[in-house]
Amino acid sequence: MAGQALSETGLNPAIGEWSGPLGLPAFSAIKDSDFEPAFDAALRAHLADIDAIAENSQVPTFENTIVALERAGALLTKVSGIFWNLTGAHTNDALQALERKLSPELSRHYSTIVMNRPLFERVDRLYENRDTLGLDAEADRLLELTWKSFIRSGAKLSDADQARLAEINERLASLGTQFSQNVLADESEYALILEAEGDLAGLPDTLVSSMAAAAAERGHDGNHAVTLSRSIIEPFLTFSERRDLRETAFKAWVARGETSAERDNRPLVAETVRLRAEKAALLGYDSFAQFKLDDTMAKTPEAVRDLLGTVWEKARNRAAEEAADLSELIAEAGHNHAVAPWDWRHYSEKVRAARYAFNDTEVKPYLQLEKLIEAAFHTAEKLFGISFRKHDDVRTYHPDVRVFEVLDANGERMAVFLGDYFARPSKRSGAWMSQFQGQHKLANDSGEAGQTPIVVNVMNFAKAPAGEPVLITMDDARTLFHEFGHALHGMLSDVTYPSIAGTSVSRDFVELPSQLFEHWLTVPQILQQFAVHHRTGESIPQELLDKMKAAAKFNKGFANVEFTSSALVDMAFHALTPEQATDIDPMSFQSEVLAELGMPTEIVMRHATPHFGHVFSGDGYSAGYYSYMWSGVLDADAFRAFEETGDPFDGATADKLRRHIYAAGGSTDPEEAYIAFRGRLPTPDALLEKEGLA
Ligand SMILES: [Zn+2]
């Protein structure tokens, strides 16, 4: 497509030449029907770019191969930037149909590229000679990452091995889909129908009405149903006074994925574990865990086990203390039984209510969405010297979307930020950050030197009635700060090459900028200024904050035991060699691992193997469930750098944070980046303290 105006191709130029204000796409000029021909053309153009690189008769250089790969597919980047944001935030039937059609096409497209042998040979030759190329650190890292991504996709394998790898990948994909569909079916089919009045003992009214609705949906009008959706089963186990019913419901809940012969996930797990081990061996790794961890900050299964092991011992001790509290309550209530897993939530809620009495409705009047958005901007201004200028006249894909120009300390535009805060039927649920365009400094065909990022935060807050402020919960406020932390990671990015910009970092590092930013929400000066009562304007009372702070450490033994045991079982499955992974019985394997750990009898894994979707319905968090805790270590330790100075906005610390973490993208190894910021590797101390496990 290079050099040819889009209008001459019959495509809508608005889709590739973004001509709206602030460099945004001219959304109103783009129709749904423009996307399909644009993708067709963009995919063809990308492949043409790739072929030109692969078939270049000149000796491979960093510029004509690696940089050329970075530049390739410019139109595809533009079209994708608009399309994937719309399918998340403002979709419709036409976009969804195209999305289904595109998914397999895109996966074929990218595997064609990594399997292109002449292309890989050029990359491989550069990598072999990398010491002689005179590259700067960022270019050197890009070369290494590019080479590794080819290797990890099997570029170096023989034809026969490549064919076997493709076969394995395909089989793993269908095993993953089958796994999650089985869990879903088990979850949606099960219902414990309650008919007697006494069956509802202890349940709050809101739960009773959801259970009535769930029963009606299943043709049991007038009765109540306990279903396995978290929004029903968890409060049921918490509030039901009926120990017999708690036991029945709990047992059904933890048996998802192994309840019926036709939906049994256990053989699927066995096959998945075996194939993953075989895949890792094909690619030259001892185990699947080593393969998955190779491009992360943790790097090795040993490093992961070290962290999990440290937390495990402390969590188990804390959980034993918590269990003793529960036993006491059980005895006080005149019962004579040990704490069973179906008792834990019930009695711990009684302990919580007695010790930390407060609820969300007391906090909410102080949490106005508009004030908290201001608070997030204000925090970024204080830390990084950037500022936000609102553009009320700029229209995007939906009238609710707010547009801000983000200016650096020198007054130059460094990013555009879109805030899309309210729920609507055309929007996917959840909260996320994504980009229309990422940052980089490569000059393009027209000689423009790089581009500034266009970043969006998408949330699903409910609008308030006209004239009233939108009030949110503390959890929502945390989500707002979390996603804004990701947004800053995109906006502060300051690297040369697009594929390592902003949030293009490893899975166990990407939550650091977001989780770290959450800490500023509860800094006293931010709360005093921005958590103000919507009627009186008074700051949130200290007493309420103290209660919230104390409650945050409650029941953490339980939470960390259920999490850490799951993470350790995940690691154990994926540390197996192909020989060890042949013919395993997943449930006895799980039992052995737990027995060796000394799993408390009162608590079960947060996700037992037959419904451990993070790990078995697709690749996503396989050998990676630990990363939630890893990020927790990083953000707690990183915030402590500010606490140690006595100033949560300490300038020198903020400068280092910006330079080495928020601006660096994937341009350095995450461990080196962290050390550059903190002066040392992270320790779990701050996390353990935050969790009350120190
Ligand atoms: Zn996140």
Side-chain angles (χ1 to χ4, degrees):
M1 201 83 358
Q4 189 182 14
L6 276 176
S7 50
E8 293 164 26
T9 64
L11 299 175
N12 180 353
I15 216 156
E17 291 152 15
W18 296 2
S19 55
L22 302 173
L24 287 161
F27 287 99
S28 61
I30 299 169
K31 300 184 299 295
D32 292 341
S33 58
D34 291 332
F35 285 105
E36 190 165 356
F39 266 108
D40 285 345
L43 289 170
R44 272 199 312 277
H46 190 207
L47 286 185
D49 290 345
I50 296 293
D51 285 342
I53 301 168
E55 287 156 19
N56 190 337
S57 56
Q58 288 169 340
V59 186
T61 62
F62 183 76
E63 194 65 29
N64 74 18
T65 303
I66 305 297
V67 176
L69 276 172
E70 291 288 300
R71 285 210 176 87
L75 179 61
L76 183 56
T77 309
K78 293 273 189 198
V79 178
S80 305
I82 306 173
F83 182 74
W84 296 111
N85 276 296
L86 291 184
T87 55
H90 195 41
T91 193
N92 58 44
D93 290 346
L95 295 183
Q96 281 179 340
L98 181 54
E99 197 180 352
R100 283 193 297 273
K101 180 171 177 283
L102 278 174
S103 298
E105 276 179 30
L106 286 172
S107 104
R108 270 198 301 278
H109 177 78
Y110 289 105
S111 59
T112 312
I113 296 172
V114 291
M115 297 298 176
N116 183 322
R117 289 208 185 268
L119 177 64
F120 174 66
E121 271 156 32
R122 295 178 73 87
V123 174
D124 198 33
R125 230 168 104 186
L126 288 169
Y127 184 72
E128 291 304 319
N129 298 317
R130 64 191 180 285
D131 294 340
T132 66
L133 300 176
L135 300 176
D136 65 27
E138 189 187 336
D140 191 54
R141 169 126 176 118
L142 174 66
L143 172 57
E144 184 188 345
L145 290 174
T146 307
W147 180 80
K148 259 198 180 162
S149 78
F150 276 91
I151 295 292
R152 293 172 63 81
S153 316
K156 228 178 176 147
L157 301 182
S158 68
D159 287 349
D161 283 351
Q162 276 190 351
R164 176 63 188 148
L165 181 63
E167 207 173 30
I168 293 175
N169 284 338
E170 215 164 285
R171 179 65 187 151
L172 283 173
S174 52
L175 284 168
T177 308
Q178 190 61 53
F179 183 98
S180 57
Q181 288 178 356
N182 286 347
V183 176
L184 201 64
D186 277 2
E187 277 172 6
S188 55
E189 259 179 37
Y190 179 87
L192 174 63
I193 305 295
L194 306 181
E195 294 174 347
E197 186 66 23
D199 293 351
L200 305 179
L203 305 183
D205 292 346
T206 49
L207 178 60
V208 170
S209 45
S210 337
M211 286 168 57
E217 264 171 38
R218 288 162 172 80
H220 294 272
D221 279 301
N223 292 324
H224 297 86
V226 184
T227 69
L228 301 183
S229 101
R230 258 190 202 267
S231 60
I232 289 188
I233 184 74
E234 284 209 302
F236 182 79
L237 292 170
T238 305
F239 294 106
S240 173
E241 295 288 346
R242 286 283 301 274
R243 188 166 195 246
D244 56 334
L245 297 178
R246 290 201 311 266
E247 179 174 357
T248 308
F250 182 87
K251 286 183 169 164
W253 189 39
V254 298
R256 286 166 296 150
E258 52 173 321
T259 43
S260 65
E262 69 276 16
R263 292 200 301 260
D264 191 348
N265 272 344
R266 289 168 293 186
L268 307 191
V269 168
E271 189 180 349
T272 300
V273 169
R274 183 165 57 73
L275 288 175
R276 283 177 179 166
E278 184 188 343
K279 171 176 173 168
L282 268 178
L283 294 168
Y285 293 86
D286 291 342
S287 69
F288 189 73
Q290 294 208 339
F291 166 69
K292 282 296 291 243
L293 290 165
D294 186 41
D295 65 348
T296 62
M297 180 172 177
K299 292 194 180 71
T300 64
E302 293 69 41
V304 171
R305 277 198 215 97
D306 267 359
L307 167 64
L308 295 174
T310 307
V311 175
W312 175 252
E313 285 311 319
K314 296 183 192 299
R316 221 169 44 137
N317 294 340
R318 185 77 196 93
E321 294 165 18
E322 291 166 1
D325 285 346
L326 306 187
S327 288
E328 212 169 287
L329 263 192
I330 291 172
E332 272 169 30
H335 301 300
N336 179 24
H337 62 76
V339 184
W342 45 91
D343 297 320
W344 194 290
R345 287 176 176 78
H346 183 68
Y347 287 98
S348 75
E349 171 59 22
K350 292 185 192 291
V351 176
R352 194 198 65 80
R355 286 192 196 159
Y356 310 102
F358 80 92
N359 63 41
D360 259 359
T361 52
E362 289 174 65
V363 183
K364 238 179 158 175
Y366 296 94
L367 301 178
Q368 306 172 56
L369 174 63
E370 297 305 326
K371 284 277 173 198
L372 289 158
I373 294 171
E374 262 182 62
F377 287 174
H378 176 80
T379 302
E381 288 177 17
K382 282 197 76 155
L383 287 171
F384 305 124
I386 61 177
S387 56
F388 295 80
R389 185 188 292 160
K390 192 157 186 254
H391 285 258
D392 287 316
D393 51 330
V394 177
R395 288 276 158 271
T396 63
Y397 55 92
H398 191 278
D400 280 351
V401 180
R402 308 167 189 195
V403 180
F404 300 86
E405 197 179 354
V406 187
L407 307 173
D408 210 342
N410 61 10
E412 269 176 41
R413 186 202 302 164
M414 57 177 294
V416 173
F417 175 72
L418 309 183
D420 184 357
Y421 296 111
F422 296 115
R424 58 176 166 264
S426 64
K427 195 189 274 189
R428 185 152 57 77
S429 62
W432 64 92
M433 165 273 189
S434 75
Q435 309 191 102
F436 281 85
Q437 106 183 351
Q439 179 270 336
H440 70 76
K441 290 188 238 171
L442 284 182
N444 66 8
D445 290 345
S446 2
E448 292 162 33
Q451 63 186 22
T452 51
I454 302 175
V455 171
V456 60
N457 269 172
V458 186
M459 313 273 153
N460 270 288
F461 298 125
K463 283 188 184 174
E468 282 179 39
V470 177
L471 300 178
I472 63 179
T473 65
M474 199 63 187
D475 274 350
D476 289 338
R478 234 176 236 118
T479 303
L480 184 78
F481 268 62
H482 180 99
E483 298 307 333
F484 195 65
H486 282 307
L488 288 169
H489 199 190
M491 296 192 289
L492 293 168
S493 178
D494 186 21
V495 302
T496 305
Y497 305 106
S499 72
I500 50 176
T503 54
S504 304
V505 297
S506 70
R507 187 186 48 195
D508 57 3
F509 195 72
V510 73
E511 297 300 328
L512 167 60
S514 52
Q515 291 181 182
L516 175 58
F517 201 74
E518 290 177 38
H519 288 262
W520 278 282
L521 170 61
T522 47
V523 157
Q525 56 214 92
I526 293 294
L527 286 172
Q528 275 154 22
Q529 191 176 347
F530 297 98
V532 293
H533 196 283
H534 69 100
R535 288 225 174 77
T536 65
E538 274 166 43
S539 296
I540 189 164
Q542 191 56 42
E543 186 208 341
L544 197 49
L545 292 175
D546 291 344
K547 279 190 199 167
M548 287 164 62
K549 207 171 167 189
K553 290 185 182 173
F554 175 66
N555 207 35
K556 289 294 186 175
F558 171 85
N560 281 286
V561 162
E562 62 163 9
F563 175 88
T564 310
S565 56
S566 296
L568 285 162
V569 168
D570 167 34
M571 267 300 138
F573 270 118
H574 295 106
L576 299 175
T577 63
E579 296 71 42
Q580 294 167 330
T582 316
D583 262 347
I584 54 158
D585 171 355
M587 298 317 280
S588 30
F589 184 81
Q590 175 188 300
S591 310
E592 282 161 29
V593 175
L594 295 178
E596 210 166 295
L597 288 171
M599 181 77 175
T601 52
E602 304 91 344
I603 304 174
V604 300
M605 289 167 69
R606 185 164 172 82
H607 310 279
T609 300
H611 53 261
F612 202 167
H614 294 80
V615 171
F616 293 111
S617 55
D619 229 12
Y621 276 79
S622 55
Y625 193 60
Y626 80 91
S627 31
Y628 293 100
M629 183 175 283
W630 192 271
S631 310
V633 167
L634 293 181
D635 74 71
D637 187 70
F639 191 68
R640 186 159 279 190
F642 286 90
E643 290 173 329
E644 283 164 4
T645 68
D647 175 4
F649 296 98
D650 179 67
T653 312
D655 284 348
K656 277 195 267 180
L657 180 67
R658 175 172 180 169
R659 182 144 38 97
H660 299 297
I661 307 291
Y662 282 90
S667 66
T668 30
D669 176 86
E671 199 174 282
E672 284 166 28
Y674 195 86
I675 293 173
F677 158 61
R678 191 70 166 103
R680 58 163 174 76
L681 279 169
T683 75
D685 300 352
L687 175 77
L688 291 170
E689 208 162 289
K690 183 173 146 198
E691 297 286 293
L693 300 177

